[in-house]
Amino acid sequence: MAGQAMGGGQAVAAGGAPAGGQNVFQQAQQGQTAAMAGTAMGMGYQPAQVQAGQVAGTDLSAYFNPFEQTVVQQSLGDIEQARQMQANQLAAQAQRAGAFGGSRSAILESQANEAALQQAARTAANLRLGGYQQAQQLAGQDISRQMQAALANQQAGLAGAGQRLAAAGQLGGLAQQAFGMGRNLQQDLAQQGSLQQMLSQRIFDAARGQFQGYQSFPERSLGYLATALGAAPVPQTQTTSRQPGLFDYLSLFASLG
Amino acid sequence: MSGGKGGSQTSKVEIPAYIEDASRRNIERAEQLAQVGYMPYYGPEVAAFTPMQTAAMQSTADAAAAFGLAPQMDVAASLPQAQDFGGVMGYGSGNLFESALAELAQRQPQQAQAFNSLFIGPQAPGLLGPTGPMGGYMPMNVPNQGSGILGGQV
């Protein structure tokens, strides 16, 4: 029965983690750590600030028609050309009437020039007003689009933060699940291992009982004879002998005499 | 018995010889058995942890280490070496018993010798001798030839 020394933990490699990588508790720990970090980030999340834009103070130069000046100059040139044509016509009419250089001719020419100047002023003003209004409108539209984009980004940020927070919660749940699963397996291992150990213990106890029976047998064998002597009737022979005394002899002599 | 003025009467009970012989042999046998002394048990007594149990313990240690509650450790290293008793792993106290006797013989040699001289020891031939199957129950370095009650006789 000489024992051979053997190690006690053959099933588990030294250092803990079974072959093949992380055990479930390491995964649970990492999951929990990541979930806590994600939750902390979610708690500290600040949504993007949205600032309403204003046309006032906005640089509108980018919204003006870059060809506006050309258009204005072209329009003014057209007016000037028309004025000159009208002036030529008025001069020709005055010449045919023999009034060229007269006061009437000068008045007509002056009226034509004034009208041309007014037309030029209106045309330039309208063109520039239209350009400004268009630039204002374009800038307003841009500000509106920027606002929409900022709001959309803000919503996307909030949605992303919510999604990450939910994922952190899910990760925490998975970590908890992994921990519970590991604990259950642990308890199963311990329970079934205890059953196996109990079996071994029963074998040892039985062997010990056998040895004690062997050890105490001589003592019990002594009792067999004692029991037999006590139980069986022992035949005894009783012998009674009498030794006569002085009176016995005197009595005998008296009876003889 | 003899002597009195009135004489005397003697009564004697005789036990059959075969019963008397048997009783005498039983007493002699008891004396022999008493000389045998204590017979230690060298077999297994405590079952060792099974691989499943050590795996569960290792798993607990790993879990504690994973959560920073304990350093990484090998639980099998902290368990006493189990012995193989015919395919069943376990522990027996026989070696510890021997160690205790050796310690007693070293620290209290006279007392150990006096005690040992009362019984059959490892110096005696036979089943309990040093070369017998039981291997003796006292350390080899303890003489069994003291001057006790049975010194030198066994």
Side-chain angles (χ1 to χ4, degrees):
Chain A
M1 291 291 277
Q4 296 177 345
M6 289 183 67
Q10 300 90 340
V12 179
Q22 294 180 323
N23 65 43
V24 70
F25 292 111
Q26 287 172 320
Q27 293 176 343
Q29 184 274 333
Q30 290 176 2
Q32 189 187 52
T33 301
M36 291 173 70
T39 303
M41 284 181 62
M43 290 169 64
Y45 176 74
Q46 294 289 336
Q49 297 295 310
V50 176
Q51 190 85 28
Q54 288 181 331
V55 176
T58 303
D59 180 11
L60 299 179
S61 60
Y63 298 97
F64 280 103
N65 184 356
F67 305 105
E68 181 181 299
Q69 185 63 22
T70 306
V71 171
V72 170
Q73 292 303 322
Q74 186 66 42
S75 300
L76 293 179
D78 291 346
I79 293 171
E80 176 61 18
Q81 189 177 3
R83 186 194 64 80
Q84 288 178 359
M85 288 175 63
Q86 189 178 12
N88 289 337
Q89 287 174 357
L90 288 173
Q93 288 175 0
Q95 200 167 14
R96 283 195 298 271
F100 185 76
S103 59
R104 180 173 176 80
S105 175
I107 291 172
L108 290 175
E109 186 180 354
S110 174
Q111 288 177 339
N113 287 341
E114 185 180 354
L117 282 173
Q118 288 177 350
Q119 179 63 33
R122 277 196 301 273
T123 300
N126 286 337
L127 284 173
R128 295 192 188 284
L129 178 63
Y132 177 73
Q133 287 177 334
Q134 189 178 6
Q136 242 185 351
Q137 188 178 2
L138 289 173
Q141 289 174 353
D142 263 6
I143 289 171
S144 176
R145 281 194 293 270
Q146 285 174 355
M147 186 69 175
Q148 289 176 356
L151 288 172
N153 287 335
Q154 186 187 51
Q155 287 302 316
L158 283 169
Q163 189 180 18
R164 286 190 292 275
L165 203 57
Q170 188 174 359
L171 187 59
L174 286 172
Q176 178 67 28
Q177 187 179 355
F179 185 81
M181 188 171 63
R183 291 287 296 161
N184 285 339
L185 288 173
Q186 242 178 15
Q187 289 166 2
D188 288 347
L189 280 173
Q191 189 177 14
Q192 293 176 19
S194 294
L195 289 175
Q196 293 174 344
Q197 190 193 27
M198 282 172 57
L199 175 64
S200 300
Q201 190 62 53
R202 292 286 296 273
I203 294 172
F204 287 171
D205 291 346
R208 181 78 188 261
Q210 287 267 28
F211 184 84
Q212 286 177 339
Y214 164 80
Q215 188 184 33
S216 62
F217 182 75
E219 181 185 345
R220 281 187 288 132
S221 70
L222 291 177
Y224 293 156
L225 184 57
T227 303
L229 289 173
V234 178
Q236 297 178 348
T237 303
Q238 182 168 355
T239 305
T240 303
S241 59
R242 177 177 175 77
Q243 188 73 28
L246 177 60
F247 286 110
D248 293 325
Y249 289 111
L250 292 176
S251 298
L252 178 62
F253 293 146
S255 62
L256 292 176
Chain B
M1 300 295 282
S2 64
K5 293 179 180 176
S8 64
Q9 183 173 341
T10 303
S11 180
K12 182 179 179 183
V13 177
E14 293 183 353
I15 298 174
Y18 72 95
I19 290 181
E20 188 175 347
D21 292 344
S23 299
R24 185 172 287 112
R25 288 198 307 272
N26 212 30
I27 292 171
E28 289 173 353
R29 185 175 177 83
E31 288 179 346
Q32 290 175 341
L33 285 174
Q35 292 175 4
V36 170
Y38 179 70
M39 190 179 295
Y41 176 69
Y42 290 102
E45 292 164 304
V46 179
F49 289 125
T50 66
M52 292 185 94
Q53 285 176 303
T54 53
M57 294 177 190
Q58 185 65 57
S59 181
T60 301
D62 291 345
F67 285 91
L69 299 175
Q72 187 69 51
M73 63 182 78
D74 180 9
V75 297
S78 61
L79 294 174
Q81 286 277 337
Q83 291 179 303
D84 186 353
F85 292 94
V88 186
M89 304 300 294
Y91 306 94
S93 64
N95 291 336
L96 294 175
F97 171 70
E98 292 282 356
S99 298
L101 288 184
E103 192 71 18
L104 175 67
Q106 184 181 0
R107 296 191 182 193
Q108 305 290 344
Q110 291 182 343
Q111 192 177 17
Q113 183 178 347
F115 184 88
N116 193 36
S117 66
L118 297 175
F119 308 103
I120 297 172
Q123 306 300 321
L127 291 179
L128 295 175
T131 58
M134 297 305 294
Y137 74 94
M138 287 294 280
M140 292 294 292
N141 59 350
V142 178
N144 189 27
Q145 296 172 356
S147 57
I149 299 174
L150 298 174
Q153 297 182 15
V154 293

